[in-house]
Amino acid sequence: MNELFLIITLLVSFGATILFLKLFGKGGLFAWIGIATVFANIEVTIVVHAFGMDQTLGNTLFAATFLATDILSELYGKKEANKGVLAGVLTSLCFILLSFMWVHYIPAESDWSSEFVHGLFSNTPRMLFSSLIAYIISEFVDVSLYHAWWNLTEKKTGSHTKMLWFRNNFSTLISQFVNIVIFNFGAFWGIYQFKELVSITAACYVIYVATSLLDTPFVYIARKMAVKKTDE
């Protein structure tokens, strides 16, 4: 069932990215980055076994934020893509601050949820800050690489639009590697043995490779939608 849920989550995450773009344009991508970032920061506290590997959740939702920034890069330029990264950073900071306060409220006698909220969030500041640092660095790396590859492919082909698959995949694959190494070693160093931590990191990156390759059709869909809208 874990494998099935991961596939469904991937399709929902990537599909929602396109849906938000379709309904709300550029602003929809900014909104979706914020939503996906919050959900991913909650999910990432869970480790599951799927596809023969132990891995943290949140992979597919974080992958959707990279998809959104790549679409922003492709359709609106580097400046807007960096704004998308900033939207995710500010969302994460707000989430960290609010979740920290949740566990320090004194619950009423009739409360039933505080125990569960405390159990989930009291031990996660390290994870959240590791996630934030990894997100900031890897997203800006992704945007910078996307446009560096774009300049390269444009020089090689003489076309501004060709080789979208190349700039999309190679920017995301490298930035996702940066993301998962910083997060896993920042969040779980000393919690898992080194060998197990390397294994979890490798497993997460395998998932990121798969999600990065699978997001390419969605970038093409986004660009086709933009071209169609321009023609209209």
Side-chain angles (χ1 to χ4, degrees):
M1 290 299 293
N2 284 346
E3 290 81 1
L4 177 61
F5 284 139
L6 281 172
I7 292 171
I8 293 173
T9 302
L10 179 68
L11 294 175
V12 170
S13 299
F14 287 177
T17 307
I18 299 300
L19 180 62
F20 271 66
L21 172 64
K22 176 71 173 177
L23 294 178
F24 309 111
K26 180 174 58 178
L29 291 177
F30 292 151
W32 177 242
I33 287 172
I35 293 169
T37 300
V38 170
F39 289 169
N41 277 320
I42 297 173
E43 275 198 335
V44 81
T45 62
I46 305 170
V47 177
V48 299
H49 187 81
F51 299 106
M53 304 172 288
D54 287 343
Q55 55 187 278
T56 56
L57 288 181
N59 295 334
T60 54
L61 283 165
F62 275 126
T65 66
F66 282 85
L67 170 61
T69 53
D70 282 355
I71 293 174
L72 284 168
S73 287
E74 184 69 24
L75 302 185
Y76 303 104
K78 186 176 182 178
K79 183 178 179 181
E80 297 303 315
N82 283 331
K83 284 183 180 179
V85 176
L86 182 60
V89 171
L90 293 177
T91 301
S92 289
L93 284 172
C94 290
F95 178 77
I96 291 171
L97 177 61
L98 291 171
S99 62
F100 174 79
M101 291 190 291
W102 292 342
V103 300
H104 288 86
Y105 278 105
I106 300 173
E109 291 184 4
S110 58
D111 174 80
W112 59 269
S113 64
S114 291
E115 179 182 353
F116 302 101
V117 172
H118 192 276
L120 180 60
F121 292 108
S122 61
N123 295 319
T124 59
R126 177 178 168 184
M127 292 185 185
L128 292 175
F129 277 111
S130 296
S131 176
L132 176 62
I133 293 169
Y135 179 84
I136 294 172
I137 295 174
S138 60
E139 282 280 15
F140 280 118
V141 166
D142 180 61
V143 173
S144 297
L145 284 176
Y146 194 96
H147 289 273
W149 292 132
W150 201 342
N151 292 333
L152 177 64
T153 56
E154 188 170 5
K155 289 179 181 178
K156 292 292 184 182
T157 65
S159 171
H160 188 66
T161 58
K162 287 183 178 179
M163 297 187 73
L164 168 58
W165 62 270
F166 181 88
R167 54 183 176 269
N168 171 240
N169 284 319
F170 282 92
S171 61
T172 304
L173 288 171
I174 295 172
S175 58
Q176 291 282 33
F177 178 77
V178 172
N179 177 55
I180 200 62
V181 169
I182 293 175
F183 171 72
N184 276 3
F185 279 83
F188 301 120
W189 181 267
I191 297 176
Y192 296 106
Q193 294 183 355
F194 180 77
K195 184 177 180 180
E196 186 176 5
L197 183 56
V198 170
S199 177
I200 292 175
T201 302
C204 289
Y205 186 62
V206 169
I207 298 299
Y208 273 140
V209 169
T211 56
S212 298
L213 295 175
L214 290 172
D215 81 352
T216 304
F218 291 89
V219 182
Y220 276 95
I221 291 171
R223 191 171 72 176
K224 186 175 181 180
M225 285 167 50
V227 171
K228 183 179 179 181
K229 186 175 181 180
T230 301
D231 291 340
E232 291 175 351

